[in-house]
């Protein structure tokens, strides 16, 4: 997969994704370099599915051997834990750990900061020890190793892009630079919102809010956030979390602004014509 | 001699009372559940040094940081002066450090005076921010009469203390220039000399002024010491242990409940031998279900409102205010402690932190974004209390919001918070 042929670059839609599952790999006696933990949003949410495919395209493009769990993947338990259902969380965690250990998984990349945080920080105490990275960190690594460039794709030169920090990447795990590194490579004009990095404002979906109506208030949090993004005159809001993606996309629609909301993986893939 | 005896009696009484009341706060904190934070001593010490001693998290709001720094340094350094006052008070001496320190003494007093005037200015600015400009951060439902008065009392007391200190020096300086009695020349008094024209000329009234201010200063300090355990100002002491016992894990990591691990392991593996963990209620309904660290957090809170001002729920008009969570926790544990003192250990007042103090609507508004914990200058963790209370509601009462209960059953049945079958997990491939 490392060498893309020209027709695929010209017409990226024709590219066929080759994504094996762990069980297929094992049946062939192979062990992938890394497991791609897709997450529930990445699997089922229409918008997030696009991000998932882009992460796969990047992995394929640089020639990393990877696999997914497919139907064997299950919720990490993050929303259950944040909502106070520790039983359900630990049930999910221990079942997932059994599956992961069964396949001898060592390294995991996730498409979601919530899955990332849970597997990286909360699974070790329950016996699940893996090297876990978020896809923005993977992209940063690939850039730093010179494996990922911006060539052959859409140019973002001069475009105003603002990055929205996901809570569970930023404050939750001190990852502020990796996603920004991916954006720097685009040669775009990076603008920061007033509340960014450690001061970043939540999109409103964390802590299981994604799965409930917000409590009564004067405003929805995502509106507060997209208004702030709009104030930067950015043409693109970059995000790195499928929940933020939903909240920001809804917000932009509601305030009727023409701002694109794109994941770091999508921007990277576009810039490389993937 | 009489003055010395009175001084010693006042000092002893003040220290005794303080020890007693601080001891009561300590007892209240220890009503919380055990939690081991005795690991990683070096790292903990560094966090304390950086966050409490070095005030590293104050810098996010530069004006407040500078003003607070004046008061903080003033407090620490002017305490050297208080040491001298104590010795003078006990032994009936006057400026006992003057002779041994020589010219250094004059420099030190000069330094104290500059700090004193900076503290005074900072306190005036802070008073103006609270009472004239009325910054939004110092308002809110939880900022009722007492918290607002508490803040003003502290600032006014500090202004009185600094004024007494400077007036005392001014009178002393004037007496020194008159070569009156034991008032030997000890320095230039750079700030207080400016007050000289305001003071009477006669040596006798000057001595009275000097003595009154001396007593006012030390009595003020000792009263202030005894005010601390009843006030948000207790943070000047608790900031240090509280940052030492900070959570050291990444902010995103929530603790795994060992008691649940036991049960889940036993469910998944019938041969599993459960570890011996004392049974308790799941999560927190009342303050005594929280850990001692949660309660120390509550007593450390100085109600600055940085947490609430960055809380996405609060900003968008929801009921949740992380500062209120901390203040409610402190008020409730103080109430529980007072009940123990009055009615004995087993008394129950049929009240609890949940519902009587903190409503469910507040708890369910949290997005667990960690903005509050990031903002807190002394590493208080309101999110941990919110999580424990959610655990009680969800696991003990099964009263989570219906939509969350739906998500739970989806996770249980099909491994995703939405109602999609796990057989469809690879559908994104075919889009």
């Amino acid at each position: 997969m490392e060498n893309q042929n020209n027709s695929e670059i010209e017409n990226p839609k024709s590219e066929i994704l080759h994504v094996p599952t762990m069980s297929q790999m094992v049946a062939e006696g192979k062990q992938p370099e890394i497991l791609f933990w897709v997450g529930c949003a990445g699997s089922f949410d229409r918008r997030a599915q696009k991000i998932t495919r882009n992460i796969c395209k990047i992995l394929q493009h640089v020639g990393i051997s990877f696999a997914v769990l497919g139907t064997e993947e299950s919720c990490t338990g993050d929303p259950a834990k944040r909502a106070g259902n520790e039983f359900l969380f630990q049930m999910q965690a221990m079942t997932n750990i059994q599956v992961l250990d069964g396949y001898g998984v060592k390294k995991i990349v996730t498409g979601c900061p919530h899955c990332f945080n849970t597997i990286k920080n909360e699974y070790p105490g329950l016996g699940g020890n893996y090297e876990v990275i978020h896809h923005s960190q993977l992209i940063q690594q690939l850039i730093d190793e010179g494996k990922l460039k911006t060539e052959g794709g859409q140019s973002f030169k001069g475009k105003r892009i603002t990055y929205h920090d996901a809570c569970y990447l930023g404050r939750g795990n001190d990852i502020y630079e990796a996603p920004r590194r991916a954006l720097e490579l685009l040669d775009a004009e990076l603008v920061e919102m007033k509340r960014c990095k450690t001061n970043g404002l939540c999109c409103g979906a964390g802590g299981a809010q994604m799965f409930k109506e917000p409590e009564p208030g004067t405003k929805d949090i995502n509106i507060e956030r997209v208004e702030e993004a709009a104030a930067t005159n950015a043409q693109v809001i970059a995000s790195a979390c499928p929940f933020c993606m939903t909240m920001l996309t809804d917000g932009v629609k509601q305030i009727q602004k023409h701002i694109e909301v794109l994941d770091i993986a999508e921007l990277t893939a576009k810039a490389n014509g993937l | 001699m009489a003055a010395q005896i009175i001084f010693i009696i006042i000092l002893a009484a003040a220290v005794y009372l303080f020890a007693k009341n601080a001891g009561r706060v300590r007892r209240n904190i220890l009503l919380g559940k055990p939690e081991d934070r005795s690991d990683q001593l070096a790292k903990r010490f560094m966090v304390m040094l950086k966050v409490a001693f070095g005030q590293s998290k104050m810098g996010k709001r530069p004006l407040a940081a500078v003003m607070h720094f004046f008061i903080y340094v003033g407090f620490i350094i002017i305490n050297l002066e208080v040491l001298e006052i104590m010795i003078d008070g006990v032994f009936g001496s006057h400026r006992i450090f003057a002779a041994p320190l020589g010219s250094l003494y004059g420099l030190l007093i000069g330094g104290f005076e500059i700090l004193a005037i900076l503290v005074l200015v900072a306190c005036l600015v802070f008073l103006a921010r609270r009472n004239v400009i009325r910054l939004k951060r110092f308002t809110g439902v939880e900022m009722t009469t007492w918290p607002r008065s508490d803040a003003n009392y502290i600032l006014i007391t500090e202004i009185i203390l600094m004024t007494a200190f400077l007036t005392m020096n001014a009178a002393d300086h004037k007496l020194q220039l008159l070569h009156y009695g034991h008032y030997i020349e000890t320095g230039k008094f750079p700030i207080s000399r400016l007050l000289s024209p305001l003071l009477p000329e006669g040596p006798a009234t000057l001595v009275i002024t000097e003595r009154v201010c001396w007593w006012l200063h030390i009595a003020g300090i000792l009263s202030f010491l005894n005010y601390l355990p009843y006030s948000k100002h207790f943070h000047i002491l608790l900031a240090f242990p509280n940052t030492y016992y900070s959570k050291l894990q990444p902010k995103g990591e929530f603790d795994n409940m060992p008691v649940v691990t036991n049960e889940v392991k036993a469910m998944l593996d019938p041969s599993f031998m459960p570890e011996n963990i004392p049974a308790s209620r799941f999560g927190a309904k009342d303050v005594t279900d929280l850990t001692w660290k949660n309660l120390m957090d509550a007593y450390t809170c100085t109600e600055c409102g940085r947490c609430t001002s960055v809380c996405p729920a609060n900003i968008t008009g929801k009921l949740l205010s992380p500062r209120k969570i901390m203040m409610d926790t402190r008020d409730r544990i103080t109430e529980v402690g007072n009940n123990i003192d009055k009615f004995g250990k087993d008394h129950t007042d049929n009240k609890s932190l949940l519902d009587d103090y903190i409503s469910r609507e507040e708890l369910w508004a949290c997005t667990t974004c960690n903005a509050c914990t990031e903002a807190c200058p002394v590493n208080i963790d309101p999110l941990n209390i919110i999580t424990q209370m959610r655990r009680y509601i969800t696991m003990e009462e099964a009263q989570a919001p219906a939509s969350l209960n739906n998500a739970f059953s989806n996770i249980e049945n099909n491994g995703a918070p939405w109602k999609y079958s796990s057989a469809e997990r690879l559908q994104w491939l075919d889009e």
Side-chain angles (χ1 to χ4, degrees), chain B residues 46-281:
Chain B
M46 289 312 290
V47 171
M48 181 179 77
L49 215 58
K50 203 174 122 206
V51 178
F53 193 75
Q55 314 251 305
S56 62
K57 291 175 86 178
M58 290 293 290
K60 276 196 178 176
R61 291 169 198 257
L63 177 71
V66 171
M67 295 286 146
H68 182 269
F69 188 72
F70 289 158
I71 299 180
Y72 166 66
V73 175
F75 166 75
I76 290 183
I77 309 232
I78 297 174
N79 270 333
L80 290 172
E81 170 71 17
V82 175
L83 183 69
E84 185 186 44
I85 291 181
M86 298 276 184
I87 298 173
D88 284 347
V90 173
F91 295 102
S93 48
H94 183 73
R95 295 198 182 263
I96 196 163
F97 291 163
L101 292 178
S103 61
L104 181 64
Y105 185 81
L107 285 176
L108 277 175
I109 294 291
F112 297 160
E113 289 204 339
I114 290 167
L115 278 170
I117 195 76
L118 289 175
V119 170
L120 230 158
V121 170
C123 287
L124 287 171
V125 172
F126 281 170
L127 271 177
R129 280 156 64 93
R130 285 178 182 269
N131 301 288
V132 183
I133 308 169
R134 292 175 192 275
L135 283 192
K136 189 166 179 285
R137 180 151 69 86
F138 301 124
T139 62
V141 283
E142 66 276 21
M143 297 308 280
T144 50
T145 315
W146 163 247
R148 285 209 307 264
S149 308
D150 185 17
N152 287 333
Y153 294 159
I154 294 161
L155 292 168
I156 291 166
T157 309
E158 279 170 13
I159 289 171
I160 293 173
L161 288 178
M162 292 304 113
T163 311
F165 174 66
L166 289 172
T167 315
M168 173 186 86
N169 278 358
D172 203 310
H173 180 57
K174 214 163 177 176
L175 285 161
Q176 290 175 18
L177 294 180
L178 292 171
H179 303 289
Y180 184 81
H182 58 263
Y183 293 96
I184 45 157
E185 266 192 72
T186 49
K188 293 207 175 354
F189 294 89
I191 304 293
S192 63
R193 66 188 310 157
L194 305 172
L195 296 173
S196 290
L198 302 174
L199 294 179
E201 293 299 329
T205 29
L206 280 176
V207 171
I208 292 173
T209 310
E210 192 272 332
R211 280 294 88 190
V212 166
C213 288
W214 188 91
W215 280 97
L216 193 63
H217 187 58
I218 189 63
I221 286 174
L222 294 176
S223 321
F224 205 37
L225 179 73
N226 273 287
Y227 180 63
L228 292 183
Y230 299 99
S231 162
K232 74 184 194 99
H233 210 50
F234 211 31
H235 82 284
I236 62 172
L237 300 177
L238 283 184
F240 295 90
N242 202 61
T243 48
Y244 179 84
Y245 292 117
S246 293
K247 171 180 173 180
L248 297 178
Q249 297 94 332
K251 281 188 162 34
E253 179 179 342
F254 287 23
D255 60 311
N256 294 325
M257 294 171 70
V259 55
V260 172
T261 311
N262 250 353
E263 298 211 11
V264 172
K265 277 191 176 159
M267 267 162 78
L268 295 175
D269 173 14
S271 67
F272 172 75
M273 291 297 290
E275 284 166 54
N276 197 11
I277 298 167
S280 65
R281 138 198 300 169

Side-chain angles (χ1 to χ4, degrees), chain A residues 242-262:
Chain A
F243 294 168
C244 297
M245 172 58 71
T246 303
M247 300 303 280
L248 297 172
T249 308
D250 282 359
V252 166
K253 247 182 244 162
Q254 282 188 53
I255 64 165
Q256 299 184 318
K257 293 270 180 190
H258 294 287
I259 310 174
E260 263 188 298
V261 189
L262 293 168

Side-chain angles (χ1 to χ4, degrees), chain A residues 144-238:
Chain A
D144 291 346
E145 290 165 8
K147 290 182 186 161
L148 200 56
K149 297 184 178 68
T150 41
E151 44 190 31
Q154 190 182 334
S155 167
F156 289 91
K157 202 172 159 80
K159 264 207 169 182
R160 281 175 84 85
I161 302 183
T162 188
Y163 172 66
H164 163 82
D165 285 280
C167 301
Y168 278 85
L169 273 192
R171 279 187 296 270
N173 287 287
D174 285 319
I175 298 167
Y176 300 105
E177 288 316 313
R180 288 180 170 79
R181 183 92 180 86
L183 295 174
E184 277 165 25
L185 200 70
L186 299 175
D187 207 16
E189 190 190 343
L190 261 185
V191 282
E192 292 290 356
M193 283 182 262
K194 209 172 155 206
R195 287 170 284 196
C196 64
K197 298 180 185 170
T198 57
N199 298 329
L201 182 76
C202 174
C203 70
Q209 297 291 345
M210 184 72 190
F211 308 101
K212 64 187 271 293
E213 285 304 312
E215 300 304 308
T218 50
K219 196 178 192 179
D220 281 334
I221 296 172
N222 60 337
I223 301 298
E224 172 85 9
R225 189 51 164 169
V226 292
E227 282 174 356
E228 192 176 1
T232 67
N233 288 321
Q235 294 154 290
V236 177
I237 305 174

Side-chain angles (χ1 to χ4, degrees), chain B residues 289-305:
Chain B
D289 301 321
L290 297 170
T291 72
W292 63 266
K293 181 58 174 61
N294 298 136
L295 302 180
M296 182 185 267
D297 275 356
Y299 278 113
T300 307
C301 175
T302 193
E303 303 163 9
C304 71

Side-chain angles (χ1 to χ4, degrees), chain A residues 40 46 53 73-75 81-83 86 89-90 117 122 168 171-172 198-199 206-207 209 212 218-219, chain B residues 60 251-252 254-257 261 316 318 364-371 390 394 403 415 425 428 431:
Chain A
C40 298
R46 289 226 157 239
R53 285 196 296 276
E73 193 184 284
S74 188
C75 173
K81 190 175 182 84
R82 314 293 137 183
E86 182 74 5
F89 161 71
Q90 292 203 15
N117 175 70
E122 291 161 0
Y168 278 85
R171 279 187 296 270
T198 57
N199 298 329
Q209 297 291 345
K212 64 187 271 293
T218 50
K219 196 178 192 179
Chain B
K60 276 196 178 176
K251 281 188 162 34
F254 287 23
D255 60 311
N256 294 325
M257 294 171 70
T261 311
T316 55
K318 278 99 184 160
W364 290 116
C366 176
T367 67
T368 72
C369 77
N370 266 306
R390 281 185 175 186
T394 298
S403 46
R425 274 220 177 240
W428 55 269
E431 292 295 317

